[in-house]
Amino acid sequence: MRKHLPLGNSVCCIGVACALGNPQIGSASAPAALLTSTLHDTLRRHGIRQRATETIAPRLACANPLFDLLTRLSDATSSAIARGERPLVIGGDHAIAAGTWKGIARALGRMPGLIWIDAHLDAHVPATSPSGNFHGMPVAALLGEEVPEMSDIPGPRLEAARLVMLGAHSFEAEEQQLLKHHGVRIIGTDEIATFGLPAMLTKARKWLGDGAWGISLDVDALDPGAAPGVNTPVVGGLDPAELTQALRSLLREPNCVGLEIAEYNPQNDPDGCTARLIHQLIDAASAPDATTLKRWEDNFGARNYAPLPVVLSEGRGCWLTDTDGRRYLDLMSAYSANSFGHAHPKLLAALNAQAGRLALTSRAYSNDRLPLFLRRLTEISGYARALPVNTGLEAVETALKAARKWAYKIKGVAPDQAEIIACEGNFHGRSIAIVGLSSEAQYRDGFGPYPPGLKTVPFGDVGALAAAIGPNTAAFLVEPIQGEGGVVVPPAGYLSACAKLCREHQVLLLVDEVQTGLGRTGKLFAFQHDAVRPDGVILGKALGGGLIPVSAFLADDELMGVFTPGDHGSTFGGNPLAAAVGLAVLDLLADEGLIAHSAMLGEHLLKRLKELTTNTPAIRSVRGKGLFAGIELEPTLADARQMAERLLRRGILTKDTHATVLRLAPPLIIDQATLDWAVDEIALEFAIHAGSTRRCA
């Protein structure tokens, strides 16, 4: 037996324009419908090299067209293996399998193990076949039974112990008897329904043992409601989502020597849904696994993040799914950017509808969405004007530019002498100017010199602010709750006292609501807990609904009026796509009562979390407002990063900050039962941690 050939990340796409084994017209056009640029782009995107597509068609003038076609197919797959490429064989009726796998076996010196995914058993011989069609006979031929047109294809026979039939639920007794005689294992749809397709596919691979293996997939194995474009549909097939997950990354595994997809019939697929599903399956099978993706991120990206050890691939509502199909409850909401959950249907509808109409014009022209967004944003906020940009950082920079120009044009500060005051522990962004306001050593290290006129004072200390204000002070920039600082809530009355000081000294009060705005804390804006009205408000994150960056600076005419055309702008700021999504966000916030919901559930969340502090020594304190909470840990007993990773293993996504605080900011759409489940899991993990800590002491 020849040594197993090493296969790299190379694929040879082979189309088979054949309907010789089935009387239905249509399968011959499958390669043309499936081997498209979309498929090639998918493989390239996944880092898989591919040869030019080869399509094999019958030569009807020869004496035995099916035998001729299968022989040429076997030569093509054998040559691909010899070159170190995995064959990806697409199209034709399932009779093509005799050629696909005999050729691969010939190159390897032994037939690989085979997972046959099919609604049927395809194990007839001519004497038992009710139709006489060859697409019902390839398994019997591969096992060594005498089947004209197939059995004489050169190559080793298939060993019954290394064949698993998966998903069969429509077959004749004679087929079942033949496979039973050979000792072939069959996993039917009942067993799959009980244990799940991914688990059964894993079981099948274990049965195959070590060595080379491949997959032959008949599209009629899928439920015809999702995949009508097949030759012989059978009700009750496999779930496409489960099969997609089960196939993930298999085409990249070292011992996988090929993937075959057969029995697609474009004539039965007028809207192309089956073709899209097949592309989805190939996308999954060729996709890098989590380990590879992490390696690529480390190798090809700047190392400016240290993400938690999970690779996410899909999100719906409050839940995310990783590349292995495991679900997680999202208690981070992308720092509040996903305040409305993932893929909210109303927001997706707004995004898709507008993307198909008009996405970008630049502000050189007006568009028909931006005025609607600006009117609604000013209406809901109570401010006269809004300046739309993209990220939260841009909105903060906009506010600082407005404040400086206001200081020179309105307040009368001497040129280039304006000062901005912020708070220690702040996080307003990472531009050079904003980092100049940071008190975090790492944020500043190596990025100076910083612009002049930037000061910081302790957060929550009104006296410190009073002492810092001088004749050149333009603005005081403050977060109503410091999120990145550890969900730090200032003393009651702090913002109102700061507002009074600012009025007395003709200083602008600018409030950064990028993380806290739009219902996060149980109010539209977090500053409303203190009954103040800032001179300027900065919004971002949630304003884009988790779909697109949208931010804005809000102010009245006196402050916003300092800008004239050409003073400030952004090519993408206020684009019609962003405006349409932002408008849908504001409507959703009101229509679904999410601010009141956040207030009610936030009170419940904080109550439950504070109950944990009474018997959990590792929790020092709990603080927050609405659905924005921080669990501060006792650093001698627990590390926040390690706890975030432990909760990750429980299916809960949180994030540490400053090594001592766990942040919780679930989507505003979360329900109480789900929230209670999360708190129960958090409590259980802390109890387990406490037990292990005691044992180690």
Side-chain angles (χ1 to χ4, degrees):
M1 182 181 70
R2 194 177 307 168
K3 183 179 179 182
H4 177 41
L5 296 171
L7 301 180
N9 286 332
S10 296
V11 161
C12 178
C13 294
I14 302 171
V16 187
C18 170
L20 296 176
N22 187 313
Q24 285 201 33
I25 298 172
S27 291
S29 58
L34 295 175
L35 292 173
T36 64
S37 59
T38 299
L39 174 62
H40 299 151
D41 290 345
T42 294
L43 296 174
R44 183 174 61 248
R45 184 171 60 246
H46 290 329
I48 291 180
R49 296 181 298 276
Q50 55 184 312
R51 285 169 43 81
T53 300
E54 176 183 3
T55 297
I56 301 171
R59 294 186 291 205
L60 299 179
C62 68
N64 196 328
L66 180 59
F67 177 77
D68 174 73
L69 179 135
L70 296 180
T71 300
R72 286 185 289 128
L73 173 57
S74 71
D75 290 342
T77 58
S78 179
S79 296
I81 293 291
R83 291 189 302 265
E85 300 169 344
R86 290 177 176 84
L88 173 57
V89 180
I90 291 180
D93 60 73
H94 218 167
I96 66 174
T100 296
W101 301 105
K102 280 294 190 84
I104 291 173
R106 198 163 74 242
L108 296 176
R110 178 190 182 187
M111 180 68 72
L114 193 55
I115 299 174
W116 192 277
I117 305 176
D118 199 335
H120 311 91
L121 293 178
D122 288 352
H124 278 298
V125 294
T128 65
S129 173
S131 66
N133 295 324
F134 285 112
H135 77 148
M137 305 183 193
V139 171
L142 288 170
L143 288 170
E145 297 288 336
E146 183 61 34
V147 178
E149 325 281 1
M150 296 183 181
S151 300
D152 292 336
I153 305 299
R157 62 185 288 273
L158 177 60
E159 301 165 39
R162 303 198 70 232
L163 169 65
V164 179
M165 310 296 291
L166 191 67
H169 59 286
S170 174
F171 46 84
E172 282 76 40
E174 294 89 346
E175 297 179 276
Q176 187 178 24
Q177 185 62 37
L178 184 144
L179 294 180
K180 184 178 180 181
H181 169 73
H182 280 276
V184 174
R185 295 180 175 94
I186 301 173
I187 299 176
T189 51
D190 289 345
E191 194 172 358
I192 290 170
T194 301
F195 299 103
L197 182 56
M200 290 296 96
L201 188 59
T202 299
K203 185 176 183 179
R205 288 181 55 198
K206 289 181 179 177
W207 281 343
L208 296 184
D210 296 331
W213 57 273
I215 292 178
S216 183
L217 169 62
D218 186 326
V219 187
D220 67 28
L222 296 165
D223 189 271
V230 299
N231 286 319
T232 51
V234 184
V235 175
L238 304 178
D239 175 64
E242 272 206 324
L243 183 59
T244 301
Q245 184 57 46
L247 293 180
R248 186 170 180 89
S249 303
L250 291 187
L251 195 56
R252 307 175 69 94
E253 295 200 8
N255 286 342
C256 177
V257 294
L259 171 63
E260 176 180 56
I261 299 178
E263 295 282 351
Y264 172 58
N265 190 331
Q267 290 194 171
N268 297 334
D269 191 36
D271 66 355
C273 65
T274 310
R276 290 191 294 273
L277 177 54
I278 292 171
H279 279 166
Q280 177 183 320
L281 294 172
I282 297 172
D283 188 347
S286 61
D289 61 11
T291 300
T292 301
L293 290 168
K294 289 175 186 175
R295 186 177 72 249
W296 287 357
E297 185 173 353
D298 288 342
N299 290 350
F300 304 123
R303 297 188 180 182
N304 57 325
Y305 277 94
L308 289 166
V310 63
V311 179
L312 302 169
S313 62
E314 187 176 348
R316 290 290 183 275
C318 296
W319 296 87
L320 287 157
T321 305
D322 70 10
T323 54
D324 294 323
R326 189 177 179 199
R327 296 177 77 227
Y328 302 82
L329 178 63
D330 185 2
L331 294 189
M332 263 294 292
S333 299
Y335 300 98
S336 292
N338 282 317
S339 282
F340 309 101
H342 300 271
H344 194 291
K346 292 183 179 178
L347 301 184
L348 278 181
L351 177 76
N352 292 332
Q354 188 60 40
R357 292 179 65 241
L358 180 66
L360 179 65
T361 60
S362 85
R363 292 298 300 279
Y365 316 98
S366 296
N367 67 74
D368 65 348
R369 296 296 96 183
L370 180 58
L372 307 181
F373 175 53
L374 295 176
R375 178 180 178 276
R376 184 75 172 111
L377 188 55
T378 55
E379 180 183 68
I380 196 173
S381 69
Y383 285 88
R385 297 187 181 275
L387 197 162
V389 278
N390 306 292
T391 65
L393 178 148
E394 291 175 76
V396 172
E397 287 276 0
T398 301
L400 295 182
K401 289 177 71 173
R404 281 183 165 178
K405 191 164 187 181
W406 173 87
Y408 302 133
K409 302 297 183 181
I410 306 297
K411 185 174 180 178
V413 173
D416 298 331
Q417 298 301 307
E419 296 176 347
I420 306 291
I421 301 173
C423 291
E424 295 172 2
N426 76 76
F427 185 82
H428 298 294
R430 296 183 188 269
S431 68
I432 292 293
I434 295 173
V435 168
L437 285 167
S438 177
S439 59
E440 186 72 21
Q442 183 182 5
Y443 296 166
R444 298 173 59 89
D445 183 31
F447 301 119
Y450 298 105
L454 305 176
K455 294 182 178 180
T456 56
V457 297
F459 183 58
D461 188 336
V462 179
L465 174 62
I469 290 175
N472 294 331
T473 303
F476 174 49
L477 173 64
V478 63
E479 298 161 280
I481 297 174
Q482 289 189 335
E484 188 65 19
V487 194
V488 181
V489 181
Y494 171 66
L495 282 183
S496 58
C498 291
K500 183 173 182 294
L501 265 177
C502 289
R503 284 194 303 272
E504 291 172 353
H505 294 277
Q506 200 183 4
V507 170
L508 298 171
L509 175 62
L510 305 177
V511 175
D512 181 346
E513 293 267 5
V514 169
Q515 291 195 40
T516 53
L518 302 182
R520 170 56 56 193
T521 68
K523 298 278 189 181
L524 177 63
F525 303 120
F527 66 73
Q528 292 172 332
H529 289 284
D530 221 354
V532 299
R533 190 178 189 277
D535 298 290
V537 177
I538 300 158
L539 292 179
K541 296 198 184 294
L543 196 56
L547 298 176
I548 186 171
V550 184
S551 64
F553 174 57
L554 309 175
D556 290 328
D557 282 323
E558 180 185 356
L559 176 54
M560 200 72 83
V562 302
F563 288 128
T564 59
D567 280 356
H568 186 60
S570 163
T571 299
F572 281 85
N575 69 77
L577 187 61
V581 171
L583 184 61
V585 162
L586 298 177
D587 289 343
L588 181 66
L589 190 67
D591 294 345
E592 298 195 1
L594 293 177
I595 298 174
H597 184 71
S598 174
M600 178 190 70
L601 275 193
E603 184 177 345
H604 177 73
L605 171 64
L606 289 168
K607 178 177 179 292
R608 288 215 55 199
L609 290 176
K610 287 176 180 178
E611 289 171 353
L612 295 181
T613 62
T614 59
N615 57 4
T616 310
I619 298 179
R620 178 181 285 179
S621 65
V622 169
R623 52 183 178 260
K625 285 185 185 296
L627 288 173
F628 195 30
I631 304 173
E632 183 170 5
L633 307 185
E634 172 52 57
T636 61
L637 297 177
D639 177 86
R641 169 75 182 206
Q642 292 176 3
M643 288 304 299
E645 291 183 1
R646 291 169 69 112
L647 289 171
L648 183 69
R649 292 192 287 271
R650 286 192 169 275
I652 292 177
L653 295 176
T654 61
K655 183 67 173 69
D656 60 290
T657 182
H658 295 291
T660 59
V661 178
L662 285 173
R663 299 161 54 110
L664 303 181
L668 305 187
I669 62 170
I670 196 168
D671 59 72
Q672 184 169 324
T674 305
L675 195 60
D676 280 334
W677 173 83
V679 176
D680 290 342
E681 291 294 306
I682 291 169
L684 182 57
E685 189 54 54
F686 271 105
I688 293 171
H689 174 73
S692 63
T693 303
R694 283 193 295 270
R695 287 193 297 273
C696 294

